Amino acid sequence: MASSTTHEIDILKARLWEKLETLPQRDLIDRSDAQQWIDYMANVMPQEAVWHMIRAGGVGGSEIGGLVRNYLGHRADHGFSAHEWAESKLLRATPTLPAGVLLRGHAMEPIHRERFYVEYDCKRDVPAYDKLSKAQGSLVWMRYSPDDVIALDRPTRFEQAGEGVIELQGRVLLDYKAPTTIDDNARIAFQYTCQLHQGAIICEEQGLELTGAMLSQFNWATWSLKNDFVTINPELCQLIKEAGNHYWDFVMRGEIPPYVMRKKLALDANTRDRWDEAAHRLAQLNAMQN
């Protein structure tokens, strides 16, 4: 890909400054932070810069699961934290360059999608997909970029780990992933469940009735699709709204939430003595394995 010219970079910077003015937290962003962010993005990530500026104005589907975990007092997976998330929304930190799994997922998505359509004799629900793509949640921070919305016109069978075969019909919200490895017997990660639920919330607000949601993962080892159906849970939808409101309020105050640290287990002397022998044996076994 050819490098951007100085003129093109200047045009992009001007556009980023325009987009900055539309952010709801604009008055909480220091000009020096915005200047550094825009300079970096225009020169290092020009193709993604505008998308990231727009994304700074809310909570995306891939972010909400980590916020929910932090809201519940747990550390999130994939190196996510509400602390660093809030810094990014105030433009005090720049996005990381796309690499590895993320790049592969983007490249594989069209192939993955067509494979899914052929394998399950289905197609995209274009009106629903277009409506969801343009929609914004009733909560000012809620964002969602759908991978797909499909229409299952007839009962369609899907193999589910530990549950056998299920039969689905109707409209399904779909997300495609291409991870490095897949455990065929494992349930999907909590963050992905939350991501799909956030999409389902906006679908409901837009009058798009869903049968449910599904995560489709491309298994490289077996060259097959692992499809996990997700039933939409109203309680999780409510929790998503609470967590999003909680952390978006930090952004709108110009504040950074503290890191969520792992809780230390405090043991009394008697409990510690009871576990001492077991801990010693475990250490011996670990040493023998090495």
Side-chain angles (χ1 to χ4, degrees), residues 113 117 124-125 129 146-150 172-176:
R113 181 171 58 246
Y117 291 170
R124 171 173 286 178
D125 185 334
Y129 175 82
D147 281 355
D148 215 349
V149 181
I150 60 167
V172 176
L173 180 64
L174 191 61
D175 199 74
Y176 302 109

Side-chain angles (χ1 to χ4, degrees), residues 43-187:
N43 284 281
V44 179
M45 300 173 65
Q47 301 299 323
E48 301 89 0
V50 173
W51 183 85
H52 278 291
M53 180 64 85
I54 295 172
R55 192 174 193 243
V59 183
S62 61
E63 299 171 316
I64 190 61
L67 294 182
V68 170
R69 286 187 63 86
N70 279 188
Y71 182 66
L72 295 174
H74 303 290
R75 296 184 69 178
D77 298 331
H78 312 308
F80 181 94
S81 75
H83 179 98
E84 292 166 353
W85 168 87
E87 287 187 327
S88 72
K89 299 303 174 182
L90 294 170
L91 305 191
R92 299 178 190 176
T94 53
T96 55
L97 284 165
V101 174
L102 184 59
L103 283 177
R104 184 174 64 228
H106 287 317
M108 275 296 300
E109 186 173 318
I111 300 170
H112 190 160
R113 181 171 58 246
E114 289 305 317
R115 166 84 178 266
F116 190 96
Y117 291 170
V118 170
E119 196 161 315
Y120 296 100
D121 189 24
C122 63
K123 59 185 178 180
R124 171 173 286 178
D125 185 334
V126 176
Y129 175 82
D130 290 345
K131 189 173 186 178
L132 181 57
S133 297
K134 298 172 185 176
Q136 181 175 324
S138 59
L139 296 170
V140 66
W141 52 264
M142 190 174 286
R143 303 283 189 275
Y144 191 76
S145 298
D147 281 355
D148 215 349
V149 181
I150 60 167
L152 298 173
D153 296 328
R154 55 180 178 73
T156 306
R157 293 161 65 86
F158 293 89
E159 184 74 34
Q160 298 289 280
E163 299 178 20
V165 176
I166 63 170
E167 200 168 71
L168 302 175
Q169 185 174 4
R171 182 185 291 129
V172 176
L173 180 64
L174 191 61
D175 199 74
Y176 302 109
K177 301 293 182 189
T180 303
T181 59
I182 294 177
D183 181 349
D184 286 333
N185 297 313
R187 300 183 68 86

Side-chain angles (χ1 to χ4, degrees), residues 159-223:
E159 184 74 34
Q160 298 289 280
E163 299 178 20
V165 176
I166 63 170
E167 200 168 71
L168 302 175
Q169 185 174 4
R171 182 185 291 129
V172 176
L173 180 64
L174 191 61
D175 199 74
Y176 302 109
K177 301 293 182 189
T180 303
T181 59
I182 294 177
D183 181 349
D184 286 333
N185 297 313
R187 300 183 68 86
I188 69 173
F190 179 71
Q191 268 97 323
Y192 296 149
T193 299
C194 289
Q195 181 173 346
L196 288 164
H197 271 70
Q198 181 149 304
I201 291 170
I202 300 180
C203 282
E204 183 179 19
E205 292 178 350
Q206 295 295 314
L208 299 173
E209 184 177 350
L210 296 177
T211 295
M214 180 175 288
L215 178 72
S216 181
Q217 300 180 82
F218 202 106
N219 191 326
W220 299 89
T222 60
W223 205 247

